[in-house]
Amino acid sequence: MIVYGRALLSRISARNWISGSFLSTESWRTGGKKEISNLVQDIVGMATANTSTNSKNARKKEVKKETGLGLTTKKGESFGEWYSEVVVNGELIEYYDISGCYILRPWTMTIWETLQAFFDVEIKKMNIKNAYFPLFVSENALQKEKDHIEGFAPEVAWVTKSGQNDLEVPIAIRPTSETVMYPSFSKWIRGHRDLPLKLNQWCNVVRWEFSHPTPFIRSREFLWQEGHTAFATKEEADKEVLEILELYRIIYEDYLAIPVVKGRKSELEKFAGGLYTTSVEAFIPNTGRGIQGATSHCLGQNFAKMFEIDFENEKGEKSMVWQNSWAYSTRTIGVMVMVHGDDKGLVLPPKVAAVQIIIIPVPYKDADMEAIFAACSSAVQTLQAAGFRAEHDFRDNYSPGWKYSHWEMKGVPLRIEIGPKDIDKNQVRIVRRDNGSKADVPTTNLVEHVRDLLSNIHESLFNTAKVKSDACKKIVYTWEDFITALNEKKWILAPWCDEEEVEKDVKARTKGELGAAKTLCSPFDQPSLPEGTLCFASGKPAKKWTYWGRSY
Ligand code: 87F
């Protein structure tokens, strides 16, 4: 079997690169995709002259993948496949030979580091300190909070051997660090002067999930920060819960351009070990599912009792601490891919993109290549000096058209093309990733233009996502309308009696292939609830408005 892949294409591209005879400059301008896809078809044709149409198509898919020229699935047609393809072709993820575990490539880690840098600075302003606790948990410690661990037990991974020998006692790998940290909290907190104790750690955790693994969204190991704090009073704890939740909103809305709803989880959906749970919730219109973006819990005094975290208060009496815990994880990046990605690949919000502007030379027969390269380098320098993350792509084994597709797949917000005409006119061509619009910009105004464009792209990504997500919101008052809206993949705002049994009943009544409906959150921003409004599910008097839907 002959498979023509990147090597051949590259050789052809390299030739054209120099001679300019294969792709015209104008077709490079348009991405050269038509020519390249014709070329691919030619190659495929050559390779499959004697094979069936079916295998011809398969080969086409194969060549497409190998050359990185596009996705084989569309976001609107086969969302799950599209997502898997985008995270790999966009170079965020590499698959690994253990199910549910993924390699996070540099393109991912830069995004993570940007979010990390923001959050780390903010929590330090709040006088929260970083610490690092061990990865392993003894069975003894883990069992200490049996009640809350009970439901999670099947997800705990254990180390049982070293080499060929069984360990005397198996040790667990942290799925979260309450049981790792709180024995030390108990030791370190003696009197009111030891409070508040506010710690955070950046680490990995392992939860051996059995439902369908999805990169970033549901993986068996993931990166997160977990904050654990202890206070003398409930008021201090309550205040911090909301301060942290606001930081999570900023991560989603101001960094990732994803609109979220802040609210409180129901009794059934809250962290069972805590007093109450708040969250930011996002929505994925394509699948009609809500997704919990991050959580900030007030734990009350439950853990303080279990772990004996008490202190002598100002009156000399023994008192229990009030605790919080809060986390966001690499799931943020999955939500970003799902919300903004399109049929050409990733679309990165400018604030988190490792490369914000990619600069591509557009050679042409008899062009002054030195001048073109020099103009590219100078643009990179100017933009970097102005604080932007700009790079050029001078690789000589790929055509400009190939590079356009490549950087589009990786989601770089702006592309700058510089060809002979641009040199003559002292301008560059700027192309937006989010909407494809093009503009010729005088070199003298480059920095201002790029600044405006990047901020405009962020706004536009956010607004587009907000319009789409808002279009999926539906207010319902009756069970019939609820079911209709659920089938229409909505997130449903409904008046609810706030009874746990009723939520369980809704879950049972909506159980099916796509998963049951559950509460996402009761938004802090509550519409008015006139006296006499009834619960959509039970017919009892409604106590609050709550978002319902299927979720990840
Ligand atoms: C899986 C296995 C064992 C979630 C688990 O949200 C335990 C758990 O406790 C578990 N999955 N949880 C809840 C985590 C609660 C809490 N931990 C600190 C947070 C924020 C960070």
Side-chain angles (χ1 to χ4, degrees), residues 148-149 152 155 175-176 178 207 224 228 271 295 297 325 327:
H148 118 256
I149 216 83
F152 296 120
E155 287 181 14
T176 175
E178 285 80 355
R207 294 178 184 174
W224 75 352
H228 295 264
F271 173 37
T295 49
H297 316 280
S325 77

Side-chain angles (χ1 to χ4, degrees), residues 181-396:
M181 294 171 118
Y182 297 167
S184 296
F185 274 49
S186 170
K187 217 186 267 178
W188 297 336
I189 298 168
R190 294 271 170 241
H192 60 91
R193 288 176 197 85
D194 300 323
L195 292 172
L197 177 61
K198 303 200 277 189
L199 299 182
N200 175 68
Q201 74 173 352
W202 295 98
C203 64
N204 57 342
V205 285
V206 170
R207 294 178 184 174
W208 215 252
E209 301 266 0
F210 290 93
S211 42
H212 186 61
T214 308
F216 300 119
I217 303 295
R218 198 178 302 109
S219 56
R220 285 178 164 174
E221 179 187 0
F222 57 85
L223 305 183
W224 75 352
Q225 60 66 220
E226 50 179 320
H228 295 264
T229 53
F231 301 90
T233 63
K234 180 167 185 294
E235 290 65 40
E236 291 168 274
D238 286 336
K239 181 167 168 275
E240 188 203 61
V241 164
L242 296 183
E243 282 170 4
I244 294 291
L245 197 67
E246 173 60 8
L247 296 180
Y248 293 153
R249 184 201 64 77
I250 293 173
I251 284 178
Y252 275 91
E253 299 200 334
D254 299 350
Y255 279 80
L256 299 172
I258 296 168
V260 288
V261 170
K262 279 181 178 180
R264 185 170 162 149
K265 288 283 188 184
S266 70
E267 282 304 297
L268 200 61
E269 291 298 325
K270 77 172 192 188
F271 173 37
L275 187 60
Y276 65 89
T277 294
T278 66
S279 69
V280 288
E281 301 282 329
F283 194 77
I284 310 297
N286 297 77
T287 56
R289 285 177 193 274
I291 185 156
Q292 182 175 290
T295 49
S296 180
H297 316 280
C298 178
L299 303 177
Q301 296 179 306
N302 299 344
F303 285 90
K305 284 171 198 152
M306 270 186 280
F307 287 88
E308 295 171 43
I309 313 176
D310 44 45
F311 67 102
E312 198 180 277
N313 67 19
E314 276 147 332
K315 294 177 206 148
E317 304 154 349
K318 189 175 141 179
S319 208
M320 293 282 169
V321 297
W322 292 85
Q323 286 177 279
N324 291 341
S325 77
W326 26 270
Y328 79 91
S329 73
T330 36
R331 170 180 271 208
T332 43
I333 297 169
V335 182
M336 175 203 79
V337 174
M338 288 184 167
V339 168
H340 300 307
D342 65 16
D343 292 342
K344 289 181 181 174
L346 296 174
V347 177
L348 300 182
K351 268 214 180 161
V352 297
V355 176
Q356 296 169 312
I357 309 115
I358 187 71
I359 297 165
I360 299 174
V362 185
Y364 192 68
K365 202 177 163 192
D366 301 330
D368 179 355
M369 285 312 294
E370 251 175 57
I372 292 178
F373 284 129
C376 290
S377 297
S378 147
V380 168
Q381 248 179 6
T382 307
L383 291 170
Q384 284 184 351
F388 298 109
R389 295 185 287 275
E391 280 182 16
H392 51 55
D393 185 349
F394 280 176
R395 288 177 292 177
D396 63 1

Side-chain angles (χ1 to χ4, degrees), residues 474-483 485 492-496 527-530 532-540 542 544-545:
K474 185 138 189 204
I475 294 176
V476 311
Y477 290 89
T478 65
W479 180 256
E480 290 69 38
D481 289 350
F482 177 80
I483 293 298
I492 305 161
L493 189 57
W496 180 38
S528 77
L529 187 67
T533 309
L534 302 179
C535 168
F536 78 102
S538 68
K540 296 177 189 174
K544 52 165 75 156
W545 288 96

Side-chain angles (χ1 to χ4, degrees), residues 13 92 98 130 160 362 371:
S13 307
L92 288 175
I98 296 173
N130 280 330
T160 58
V362 185

Side-chain angles (χ1 to χ4, degrees), residues 72-257:
T72 64
T73 48
K74 286 199 154 72
K75 189 179 187 183
E77 285 171 10
S78 171
F79 185 80
E81 276 180 50
W82 168 85
Y83 180 79
S84 308
E85 220 181 324
V86 166
V87 293
V88 173
N89 291 16
E91 298 182 352
L92 288 175
I93 287 282
E94 188 57 78
Y95 280 96
Y96 191 64
D97 69 351
I98 296 173
S99 165
C101 297
Y102 308 93
I103 295 158
L104 306 183
R105 300 185 65 179
W107 208 236
T108 292
M109 285 311 290
T110 309
I111 299 172
W112 182 242
E113 284 164 1
T114 301
L115 300 180
Q116 191 173 22
F118 158 75
F119 192 78
D120 208 59
V121 164
E122 291 303 316
I123 59 176
K124 279 172 184 159
K125 286 184 200 161
M126 294 167 68
N127 211 17
I128 294 159
K129 312 277 188 210
N130 280 330
Y132 186 79
F133 288 76
L135 168 70
F136 298 115
V137 198
S138 72
E139 183 160 22
N140 212 3
L142 200 68
Q143 286 306 324
K144 195 143 187 186
E145 42 152 14
K146 256 204 245 74
D147 289 351
H148 118 256
I149 216 83
E150 212 170 54
F152 296 120
E155 287 181 14
V156 178
W158 294 86
V159 179
T160 58
K161 281 191 164 190
S162 82
Q164 290 308 309
N165 306 318
D166 288 343
L167 293 186
E168 232 162 74
V169 281
I171 44 178
I173 302 174
R174 66 176 165 229
T176 175
S177 301
E178 285 80 355
T179 54
V180 179
M181 294 171 118
Y182 297 167
S184 296
F185 274 49
S186 170
K187 217 186 267 178
W188 297 336
I189 298 168
R190 294 271 170 241
H192 60 91
R193 288 176 197 85
D194 300 323
L195 292 172
L197 177 61
K198 303 200 277 189
L199 299 182
N200 175 68
Q201 74 173 352
W202 295 98
C203 64
N204 57 342
V205 285
V206 170
R207 294 178 184 174
W208 215 252
E209 301 266 0
F210 290 93
S211 42
H212 186 61
T214 308
F216 300 119
I217 303 295
R218 198 178 302 109
S219 56
R220 285 178 164 174
E221 179 187 0
F222 57 85
L223 305 183
W224 75 352
Q225 60 66 220
E226 50 179 320
H228 295 264
T229 53
F231 301 90
T233 63
K234 180 167 185 294
E235 290 65 40
E236 291 168 274
D238 286 336
K239 181 167 168 275
E240 188 203 61
V241 164
L242 296 183
E243 282 170 4
I244 294 291
L245 197 67
E246 173 60 8
L247 296 180
Y248 293 153
R249 184 201 64 77
I250 293 173
I251 284 178
Y252 275 91
E253 299 200 334
D254 299 350
Y255 279 80
L256 299 172

